[in-house]
């Protein structure tokens, strides 16, 4: 089991010295959704490059900041600049934002991501509530991280994703008249997109969307006792399901198109939380 306290205590302490308040809700921004902090009242923005041991995000659309912000009388920590396994980082490094937010006493975490649609009823631009995740292809990393060796044990003590928080997300979508799809987020390490054969397998196994983040963050946050919900922006149809060539540019362009709806949804979720 990885001792995050031993490895990242300095990181947390450097943040703790600068916080204007203890956050209630942490929002992790996915690809292309990075400017949400500009849409709320930001009180302090800490560049993650100024923090000891904080991994450097190398992905376009993932500038590294921890923003402390207010919206609808809620105190927020907005994580801009997610850390991915495909950047060559270890799972403990990917977990630093979740670890820091939990240490700051934050009780809820909303994870957002860009994902490829596997379910043929989806179209690019859809938003999908993550009803569940696969963990099989990162089982070893998850075991190292949280020390859980039996799935049975895991299922008995994790409310994951959190039922109460998920109901808030569904209500927010209803109130904002945003059509919110629901489905299983299927994690792949990357760095390359999947092959058409892998997508057929994912579909057969019950995955509705594929992405390279979120699943391990959700497991770890739930393990730390946080309420977890996750939303995907379906930015493209997964490999083999459309004639269009898959690219990070397409992912960013679709995320840009959907940004307004996504922002409305996240704001309403914060309001109702
Ligand atoms: N596969 C994996 N990750 C992704 C995709 C995809 O098709 N789209 C956006 N993130």
């Amino acid at each position: 089991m990885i001792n995050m306290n031993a490895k990242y205590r300095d990181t947390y302490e450097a943040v703790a010295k600068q916080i204007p308040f203890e956050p209630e809700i942490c929002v992790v921004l996915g690809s292309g959704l990075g400017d949400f902090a500009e849409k709320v009242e930001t009180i302090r923005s800490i560049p993650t490059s100024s923090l000891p041991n904080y991994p450097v995000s190398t992905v376009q659309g993932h500038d590294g900041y921890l923003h402390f912000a207010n919206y609808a009388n809620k105190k927020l920590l907005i994580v801009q600049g997610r850390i991915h396994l495909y950047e060559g980082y270890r799972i403990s490094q990917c977990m630093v934002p979740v670890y820091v937010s939990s240490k700051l006493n934050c009780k809820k975490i909303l994870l957002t991501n860009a994902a490829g649609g596997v379910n043929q009823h989806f179209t690019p631009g859809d938003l999908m509530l993550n009803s569940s995740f696969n963990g099989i292809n990162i089982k070893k990393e998850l075991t190292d991280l949280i020390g859980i060796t039996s799935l049975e044990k895991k299922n008995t003590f994790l409310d994951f994703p959190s039922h109460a928080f998920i109901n808030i997300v569904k209500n927010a979508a209803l109130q904002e008249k945003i059509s919110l799809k629901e489905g299983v987020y299927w994690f792949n390490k990357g760095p390359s997109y999947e092959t058409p054969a892998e997508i057929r397998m994912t579909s057969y196994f019950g995955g509705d969307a594929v992405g390279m983040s979120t699943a391990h963050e959700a497991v770890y946050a739930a393990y730390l006792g946080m309420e977890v919900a996750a939303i995907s922006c379906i930015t493209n149809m997964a490999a083999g399901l459309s004639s269009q060539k898959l690219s990070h540019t397409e992912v960013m362009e679709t995320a840009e198109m959907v940004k307004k709806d996504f922002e409305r949804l996240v704001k309403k979720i914060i309001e109702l939380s």
Side-chain angles (χ1 to χ4, degrees), residues 90-143:
R90 283 191 289 277
I91 199 156
S92 57
Q93 293 174 295
C94 300
M95 268 344 112
V96 173
V98 178
Y99 164 78
V100 169
S101 64
S102 167
K103 286 283 279 186
L104 293 174
N105 239 345
C106 191
K107 299 285 185 270
K108 283 197 171 90
I109 188 161
L110 178 64
L111 304 165
T112 68
N113 59 63
V118 174
N119 186 321
Q120 305 246 22
H121 298 293
F122 293 172
T123 33
D126 282 347
L127 295 173
M128 182 192 92
L129 173 64
N130 296 182
S131 56
S132 192
F133 306 90
N134 69 314
I136 282 174
N137 48 9
I138 40 169
K139 198 99 154 275
K140 160 137 189 1
E141 286 91 337
L142 288 176
T143 306

Side-chain angles (χ1 to χ4, degrees), residues 5 7 38 46 86 93 141 176 178 204 211 250 256:
N5 269 324
K7 288 185 147 196
E38 290 166 20
I46 306 176
Y86 66 72
Q93 293 174 295
E141 286 91 337
E176 287 298 316
I178 289 172
Y204 185 70
E250 182 196 359
E256 185 65 32

Side-chain angles (χ1 to χ4, degrees), residues 11-29:
T11 320
Y12 154 70
E13 282 173 354
V15 178
K17 273 189 203 139
Q18 305 181 58
I19 57 169
F21 48 67
E22 281 189 352
E24 298 161 277
I25 309 169
C26 175
V27 182
V28 179
L29 303 175

Side-chain angles (χ1 to χ4, degrees), residues 24-160:
E24 298 161 277
I25 309 169
C26 175
V27 182
V28 179
L29 303 175
S31 284
L33 310 171
D35 61 3
F36 182 72
E38 290 166 20
K39 309 291 153 52
V40 290
E41 185 201 354
T42 301
I43 310 293
R44 183 152 309 150
S45 297
I46 306 176
T48 54
S49 56
S50 70
L51 299 170
N53 289 330
Y54 202 105
V56 180
S57 175
T58 61
V59 189
Q60 190 202 342
H62 281 272
D63 291 340
Y65 285 97
L66 300 182
H67 300 284
F68 290 81
N70 283 323
Y71 183 73
N73 278 328
K74 300 282 171 8
K75 298 183 179 75
L76 310 177
L77 165 55
I78 300 170
V79 177
Q80 185 180 353
R82 180 180 247 137
I83 320 298
H84 301 85
L85 284 164
Y86 66 72
E87 294 170 85
Y89 289 119
R90 283 191 289 277
I91 199 156
S92 57
Q93 293 174 295
C94 300
M95 268 344 112
V96 173
V98 178
Y99 164 78
V100 169
S101 64
S102 167
K103 286 283 279 186
L104 293 174
N105 239 345
C106 191
K107 299 285 185 270
K108 283 197 171 90
I109 188 161
L110 178 64
L111 304 165
T112 68
N113 59 63
V118 174
N119 186 321
Q120 305 246 22
H121 298 293
F122 293 172
T123 33
D126 282 347
L127 295 173
M128 182 192 92
L129 173 64
N130 296 182
S131 56
S132 192
F133 306 90
N134 69 314
I136 282 174
N137 48 9
I138 40 169
K139 198 99 154 275
K140 160 137 189 1
E141 286 91 337
L142 288 176
T143 306
D144 289 348
L145 184 69
I146 57 183
I148 292 172
T149 47
S150 130
L151 260 186
E152 242 173 76
K153 193 173 165 205
K154 175 172 131 185
N155 289 335
T156 55
F157 75 85
L158 297 185
D159 173 26
F160 167 68

Side-chain angles (χ1 to χ4, degrees), residues 114-116 193-194 210-212 235-236 238 246 251:
Y193 290 117
E194 301 75 14
V210 276
M212 304 180 200
T235 50
N236 56 282
L246 259 173
V251 168

